[in-house]
Amino acid sequence: MKWTREKRYLPYSKWDAETLRDLQAEAANSAYQMHYHLHPISGLVNDPNGFSYFNGEYHLFYQSYPFGAVHGLKSWVHFKSNDLVHWINLGLAVKPDSKADSQGAYSGSAREIDGKLFLMYTGNHRDENWVRTPYQIGAWMGKDGVVKDKTVLFKNPDHITEHFRDPQILKENDTYYAILGAQDKAEKHGHIDVWKSKDLKNWEELGFLNLSDHDLGYMIECPNIVRVDGKVVVIFCPQGLDKKIADYDDIYPNMYVIADDIDFENHRLINPGPLQNLDEGFDVYATQAFNAPDGTADEVSWVGLPDTTYPTDDENWANCLSQVKKLSIHDGKLLQQPVETIKSLRRHAEKVSGKTIKENTTGQYELKLNISANQTGSLHLAANDDLSESLQIKFDTKTGKLTLNRSKAGKQVAVDYGTTRSTSFTPHEDLKLDIFVDHSLVEIFVNDGEHVLTGRFFTDPANQRIEFGQDTNYQGTFYNMEPIL
Ligand code: FRU
């Protein structure tokens, strides 16, 4: 099928129910589909949106294009949860059904205000000449889950181009603030733009955040701010960032900065630290973090990248979300860890030992390993019998280096950006790995979340061996994981 612009932006009502059912069946029946991570019911999923706590439950939405593996007319699909692990699908919540979001209900955030959930997002509007206006929209969701009262709050001011989107709504003292990704007209550089409002109706621009002394490429998407253990963490996606400023391999990275504090009124971070790569794997983007009322900071990422094709495009669906990760700061370092409740998915614990960890798996498991200090070697996941095909993790606890290699992991993805990703850790110490595999998704937590490497891989689903390439001194536990949906 050929995707024309007209087809990608066709109103949802013009698609027939049978087509949608076929697409749903394709996504559900795929051997690459995830079973304990949020994934597309049909079509394409991208950014997590509106991650929030409302009416005693967690709420999370994602960007969805239900009719194929392309970035077409976007909407928000709604999920809720009591434990950040099991989610109930509440269906389409924000539809592109007004003039302001006529070409897509783009990304945004949510926050409980006066007993309702306030949603703030970008309406992607294009006129008949395809000229874009990014409207920032407010809407309200009641306890019934119905989103209504969409109102345009503001659009791009004169000094900002059409690239102005992804508002995060925040509150400090009695004032609401919103931060947005923006491109200035004069230099065409990426920024985080700070806005303020007392009543959620009248909004005033304060200015760009002092993220860094460097220019951060041509656009910043999906900015968010979260308080973690007394610090302020700013998470964002710079596009076109010079690799001399911060090291990354993906087409676009998901970066963060830790600051001592933030002065919203003066749009200033206090003592911002260096730019750092949030995830050192292959496919993390558009991570959204928020502070729950009890102060905890949780984040969830899109596992997928813009402008990238994936093997399941041929099955008309693409991408998924990461598991929810809890943020903390220790010794000035950001840690990202699985939430405690993920343990509720473990079926039973099996101590593993020897070179062959498992001859077979269901493709849906957690593997916790403690690899003793001063060893080098490789671990093969999703391997065939002779290990000629696998997703490989190379480790060197002498120099403190880990490399994830997907060059022999079946169908390839974005090879122009390399087939390996590496991270460093303290040498001559045991290496702790908490590895989550969900069919075609791997999330590797290194040393209690000091580093995370997330990636998709598309090996032959029959390849389910887990084996070290050599005798290795380690302790390990293997858990099958239950499905969540
Ligand atoms: C990031 C992004 C956002 C935008 C959304 C549209 O992946 O491009 O900037 O709001 O996706 O789906």
Side-chain angles (χ1 to χ4, degrees):
M1 178 169 58
K2 201 171 145 13
W3 282 101
T4 56
R5 178 196 282 173
E6 202 190 347
K7 191 155 193 176
R8 281 193 290 139
Y9 290 92
L10 203 62
Y12 289 6
S13 58
K14 296 266 168 22
W15 290 88
D16 62 80
E18 196 185 335
T19 305
L20 191 58
R21 275 197 302 274
D22 289 349
L23 288 161
Q24 288 169 349
E26 255 186 313
N29 297 333
S30 170
Y32 294 120
Q33 189 54 272
M34 278 52 62
H35 290 278
Y36 67 98
H37 290 80
L38 291 179
H39 58 259
I41 308 305
S42 68
L44 177 141
V45 159
N46 59 305
D47 313 356
N49 291 162
F51 193 17
S52 54
Y53 191 80
F54 165 56
N55 196 26
E57 290 170 304
Y58 293 99
H59 291 261
L60 175 60
F61 306 76
Y62 60 47
Q63 284 279 287
S64 162
Y65 178 64
F67 301 103
V70 293
H71 289 270
L73 184 60
K74 296 284 174 69
S75 56
W76 291 29
V77 173
H78 184 193
F79 298 87
K80 70 173 187 178
S81 171
N82 287 317
D83 62 0
L84 295 170
V85 171
H86 298 87
W87 294 94
I88 298 170
N89 180 357
L90 298 171
L92 208 57
V94 185
K95 301 171 193 161
D97 59 2
S98 69
K99 184 184 168 220
D101 58 15
S102 53
Q103 273 70 30
Y106 275 11
S107 285
S109 56
R111 174 178 193 97
E112 179 166 358
I113 295 171
D114 300 335
K116 286 186 181 169
L117 193 68
F118 179 70
L119 310 183
M120 187 170 178
Y121 69 98
T122 301
N124 183 42
H125 171 76
R126 290 186 185 268
D127 67 12
E128 45 309 328
N129 300 316
W130 211 243
V131 174
R132 179 174 14 208
T133 306
Y135 291 111
Q136 311 312 326
I137 299 174
W140 294 91
M141 190 185 89
K143 291 180 181 161
D144 58 4
V146 178
V147 175
K148 47 187 185 198
D149 301 328
K150 284 186 188 179
T151 316
V152 173
L153 306 175
F154 53 94
K155 64 181 203 65
N156 52 325
D158 283 347
H159 69 107
I160 290 177
T161 71
E162 55 160 347
H163 294 294
F164 182 55
R165 55 183 173 265
D166 311 337
Q168 185 198 21
I169 173 85
L170 296 151
K171 191 180 183 191
E172 290 271 311
N173 306 319
D174 286 337
T175 308
Y176 295 103
Y177 295 95
I179 57 166
L180 296 98
Q183 179 188 62
D184 71 84
K185 256 186 201 160
E187 311 236 12
K188 302 256 169 32
H189 287 167
H191 303 275
I192 296 178
D193 199 27
V194 185
W195 287 64
K196 132 183 196 179
S197 174
K198 283 279 179 197
D199 57 6
L200 298 170
K201 293 185 184 111
N202 299 293
W203 287 84
E204 172 196 344
E205 188 189 19
L206 295 173
F208 296 145
L209 196 65
N210 61 322
L211 259 185
S212 160
D213 296 336
H214 301 286
D215 110 54
L216 297 181
Y218 57 80
M219 176 58 184
I220 287 179
E221 293 189 319
C222 303
N224 48 104
I225 288 178
V226 71
R227 292 194 182 269
V228 188
D229 293 329
K231 301 273 184 187
V232 164
V233 179
V234 190
I235 298 174
F236 57 101
C237 298
Q239 299 191 320
L241 179 70
D242 190 330
K243 292 190 181 174
K244 287 192 218 99
I245 294 167
D247 195 28
Y248 66 96
D249 295 310
D250 292 346
I251 177 169
Y252 310 122
N254 203 162
M255 293 266 161
Y256 71 96
V257 161
I258 303 178
D260 286 342
D261 207 344
I262 182 165
D263 168 1
F264 280 103
E265 287 295 320
N266 293 302
H267 45 98
R268 285 197 66 75
L269 292 169
I270 315 298
N271 293 327
L275 249 63
Q276 300 184 69
N277 203 352
L278 187 66
D279 189 287
E280 290 156 286
F282 291 98
D283 305 282
V284 155
Y285 197 77
T287 299
Q288 192 170 81
F290 89 106
N291 286 115
D294 66 1
T296 52
D298 293 305
E299 63 167 14
V300 57
S301 310
W302 174 27
V303 188
L305 294 173
D307 305 329
T308 303
T309 56
Y310 286 88
T312 62
D313 292 5
D314 294 342
E315 301 173 357
N316 300 311
W317 69 277
N319 312 324
C320 66
L321 298 192
S322 72
Q323 62 179 280
V324 173
K325 295 161 277 188
K326 184 176 149 32
L327 298 177
S328 60
I329 291 184
H330 286 275
D331 299 332
K333 277 191 224 161
L334 183 71
L335 303 188
Q336 305 170 75
Q337 285 170 304
V339 292
E340 221 14 63
T341 42
I342 192 94
K343 291 181 180 158
S344 66
L345 298 182
R346 293 173 174 174
R347 269 209 180 123
H348 66 270
E350 187 188 326
K351 290 273 169 239
V352 289
S353 59
K355 194 166 166 238
T356 305
I357 294 181
K358 290 294 257 180
E359 285 182 358
N360 209 356
T361 79
T362 60
Q364 204 173 304
Y365 59 84
E366 178 187 354
L367 176 62
K368 273 193 102 148
L369 296 174
N370 193 315
I371 299 176
S372 307
N374 298 319
Q375 300 184 89
T376 56
S378 59
L379 172 68
H380 299 262
L381 308 175
N384 62 354
D385 287 349
D386 66 6
L387 307 187
S388 58
E389 290 168 29
S390 73
L391 178 69
Q392 192 193 45
I393 301 171
K394 272 184 103 174
F395 53 87
D396 184 340
T397 52
K398 292 179 183 158
T399 58
K401 193 169 176 199
L402 178 140
T403 301
L404 178 63
N405 183 337
R406 64 177 178 186
S407 67
K408 298 209 170 66
K411 295 178 192 166
Q412 296 295 297
V413 183
V415 287
D416 291 352
Y417 297 90
T419 53
T420 63
R421 296 289 187 269
S422 295
T423 187
S424 307
F425 49 89
T426 315
H428 309 300
E429 285 180 9
D430 286 10
L431 168 64
K432 284 194 256 175
L433 299 180
D434 197 356
I435 303 170
F436 293 84
V437 171
D438 193 356
H439 301 274
S440 60
L441 168 66
V442 66
E443 294 167 292
I444 305 172
F445 294 83
V446 179
N447 289 342
D448 298 317
E450 273 189 21
H451 304 275
V452 188
L453 291 93
T454 302
R456 300 292 305 284
F457 63 97
F458 300 90
T459 43
D460 180 338
N463 295 353
Q464 290 297 348
R465 206 175 175 85
I466 310 178
E467 187 162 302
F468 280 104
Q470 64 295 308
D471 288 328
T472 301
N473 197 352
Y474 75 97
Q475 287 181 321
T477 313
F478 177 92
Y479 309 89
N480 279 311
M481 296 296 264
E482 279 174 19
I484 57 160
L485 284 168

